[in-house]
Amino acid sequence: QVQLVESGGGSVQAGGSLRLSCIASGSPSSRMCVGWFRQVPGKEREGVASIYTGGDSAYYADSVKGRFTISQDNAKNTVYLQMHSLEPEDTAMYYCAAEFFLHCGTWDVDWTYWGQGTQVTVSS
């Protein structure tokens, strides 16, 4: 019912910034969870940040608190991830995901809908 498309990835120097976008189409809901996850080859997928589209509740991994900000433009069905002070350890494939039933801070189970991913590479 929901299709997700991420964009905004690229290559930056350490300390730089990127803004990722996740556009939802199909039958998105105004009351759903949208989250950002990232994965490095050979490592487990890691939850980064998530937001409840029916309010302003947001959740962050400890590793990105103070550097990343998740936000939404509900009129455009878009969720953003603004990333500042990027570090080489942030290098990963970043995925947008959506879920209707779970608490938005629940990252230890598979969410239902996923985008194709966008690559973020941070060099030192």
Side-chain angles (χ1 to χ4, degrees), residues 100 114 122:
F100 289 97
W114 291 85
V122 185

Side-chain angles (χ1 to χ4, degrees), residues 30-116:
S30 61
R31 297 181 179 180
M32 63 188 295
C33 300
V34 178
W36 288 96
F37 298 78
R38 65 188 183 186
Q39 187 168 213
V40 177
K43 296 184 178 180
E44 294 184 348
R45 187 170 59 221
E46 174 189 17
V48 177
S50 60
I51 191 170
Y52 176 57
T53 61
D56 55 3
S57 298
Y59 309 88
Y60 297 94
D62 288 341
S63 60
V64 306
K65 286 181 179 178
R67 299 188 298 119
F68 292 8
T69 301
I70 189 169
S71 62
Q72 65 175 328
D73 185 341
N74 49 300
K76 297 182 178 180
N77 289 326
T78 301
V79 171
Y80 305 96
L81 185 67
Q82 181 66 59
M83 305 184 292
H84 295 297
S85 301
L86 284 163
E87 305 168 350
E89 294 180 352
D90 296 316
T91 295
M93 183 72 74
Y94 283 70
Y95 298 91
C96 178
E99 180 60 60
F100 289 97
F101 303 124
L102 296 175
H103 187 280
C104 296
T106 302
W107 297 340
D108 57 349
V109 298
D110 288 335
W111 287 21
T112 302
Y113 303 99
W114 291 85
Q116 83 290 341

Side-chain angles (χ1 to χ4, degrees), residues 7-27:
S7 63
S11 298
V12 297
Q13 289 270 48
S17 300
L18 285 173
R19 189 189 193 192
L20 307 183
S21 299
C22 174
I23 302 176
S25 61
S27 300

